[in-house]
Amino acid sequence: MATPKKLTWLITGCSSGFGLSLVRIAQAGGQKVIATSRNPSRTPDLVREVESKGGRWLQLDVDDLSSGSFIDKLEKAGEQIDVLINNAGFSIFAPIETVTEHELRAQMETIYFGPLRLIRAVLPYQRQRKFGIIANFSSGAALEAQGSMGAYAGAKGGLDALSKVLAKEVASFNIRVITVLLGTFNTNMLNVYTPGKIPLPAEYKDTVAGQFMDFIGSGKLAPNGDKDKAMKAVYQLIVGDGFGVGKEQEKFLPLGADMTARMTLVQNQLTHAKEVFGEVTNGVGLDK
């Protein structure tokens, strides 16, 4: 089924970065947008901008255990959510040894359970209408296994695996599930360095985790991606415009020059494991 010309988009995490960029691009394309953030009162100018163009800006905390009811209220009020964009997120930097359970749960709540609640809430409506698009924003960190990003990468990796399963489960209902794998971009994430609460043990100082935390904390990590160009690509893939024409079946969208190296790393790791362990991999079957 072809994608309708005008869709209603629900986008999380719109006060800055990818979310705000995508809101503007979607509105410029004539789409109906429902932007959300935890504290709309902190960005009154942005709220006015979006609403002056026919959109809505609503308060939504994806960590709220009842956040799924947000979609129910919209749908029952006549808003048909055609496109759900799960973008809201943050990252804690700490070795797995020292990251606290509270920090781990906070990452999972925002990056995994928050999107999951919204997905579960929107699916019955999209399934009944036989149309829907769900895009989950992920990260190269989930592929590369960067030291000090275990909590973040673990949460993103969990959402990635869920998305792959979900894509198979809902394909027959004409619902698309897209995983957007993002590299380093010019968003606020690189400017808001959040180390774990437990001080870094001295032994970690010269490890990959300690060195990366120092690098991130120094502010020297220069992004190589333009968030607006990335969100234009997301928009085109969803609406089937520009480069997105004919790509309605694609489930993964890697964005950022650094993603090429990261994907190659994972490919090489799996190829190496297959070459080294191929014989034993195939040699542990039941005797016939």
Side-chain angles (χ1 to χ4, degrees):
M1 186 182 298
T3 302
K5 294 287 186 180
K6 186 171 183 178
L7 303 169
T8 297
W9 300 52
L10 173 61
I11 305 175
T12 68
C14 296
S15 59
S16 65
F18 293 126
L20 179 58
S21 176
L22 186 55
V23 166
R24 288 170 169 164
I25 290 170
Q27 285 196 303
Q31 307 295 304
K32 183 175 182 180
V33 175
I34 301 172
T36 70
S37 61
R38 287 186 178 185
N39 297 291
S41 61
R42 292 183 179 177
T43 57
D45 291 343
L46 296 180
V47 173
R48 282 192 293 270
E49 173 191 334
V50 169
E51 295 186 343
S52 70
K53 297 176 181 177
R56 300 178 67 184
W57 193 304
L58 303 175
Q59 191 277 333
L60 173 62
D61 182 353
V62 298
D63 290 0
D64 189 333
L65 298 181
S66 62
S67 57
S69 64
F70 179 85
I71 286 180
D72 290 326
K73 291 176 182 177
L74 287 172
E75 288 277 353
K76 290 175 182 177
E79 297 281 14
Q80 295 187 357
I81 308 303
D82 301 305
V83 182
L84 170 63
I85 304 289
N86 284 308
N87 162 68
F90 73 101
S91 178
I92 293 172
F93 294 86
I96 291 173
E97 179 185 338
T98 64
V99 67
T100 68
E101 184 168 332
H102 176 77
E103 290 168 335
L104 283 166
R105 289 182 179 276
Q107 289 275 246
M108 290 296 294
E109 201 62 61
T110 300
I111 294 174
Y112 181 83
F113 286 109
L116 176 58
R117 281 189 285 268
L118 297 180
I119 290 169
R120 285 166 55 86
V122 82
L123 278 177
Y125 300 103
Q126 293 185 343
R127 175 167 48 79
Q128 290 169 11
R129 292 191 290 265
K130 291 288 191 275
F131 178 81
I133 299 170
I134 297 169
N136 296 321
F137 284 13
S138 186
S139 166
L143 290 180
E144 188 181 9
Q146 177 62 55
S148 81
M149 296 187 74
Y152 178 77
K156 287 292 190 185
L159 184 61
D160 290 356
L162 180 146
S163 299
K164 288 189 287 186
V165 174
L166 181 65
K168 294 180 179 180
E169 293 178 343
V170 300
S172 61
F173 307 131
N174 194 37
I175 298 174
R176 294 172 63 191
V177 181
I178 303 169
T179 297
V180 182
L181 294 157
L182 295 157
T184 57
F185 283 85
N186 56 340
T187 67
N188 285 341
M189 186 172 177
L190 295 179
N191 301 322
V192 184
Y193 172 59
T194 308
K197 291 183 178 179
I198 295 177
L200 187 71
E203 292 85 351
Y204 276 96
K205 180 174 177 54
D206 294 324
T207 66
V208 292
Q211 290 173 351
F212 191 68
M213 289 178 68
D214 285 342
F215 186 46
I216 289 288
S218 71
K220 294 179 180 179
L221 177 59
N224 56 32
D226 183 320
K227 64 181 184 298
D228 297 325
K229 291 180 180 178
M231 292 305 99
K232 182 178 179 181
V234 171
Y235 176 79
Q236 289 184 344
L237 182 62
I238 288 176
V239 301
D241 190 20
F243 95 97
V245 174
K247 296 183 175 64
E248 293 81 5
Q249 302 303 315
E250 298 303 322
K251 299 178 178 66
F252 302 95
L253 175 59
L255 293 171
D258 52 313
M259 284 305 305
T260 299
R262 288 169 156 176
M263 290 188 291
T264 300
L265 174 66
V266 174
Q267 287 177 318
N268 291 343
Q269 288 174 333
L270 293 174
T271 298
H272 176 77
K274 185 169 65 174
E275 291 173 349
V276 172
F277 297 112
E279 184 176 348
V280 70
T281 297
N282 297 313
V284 293
L286 290 170
D287 292 331
K288 296 181 180 180

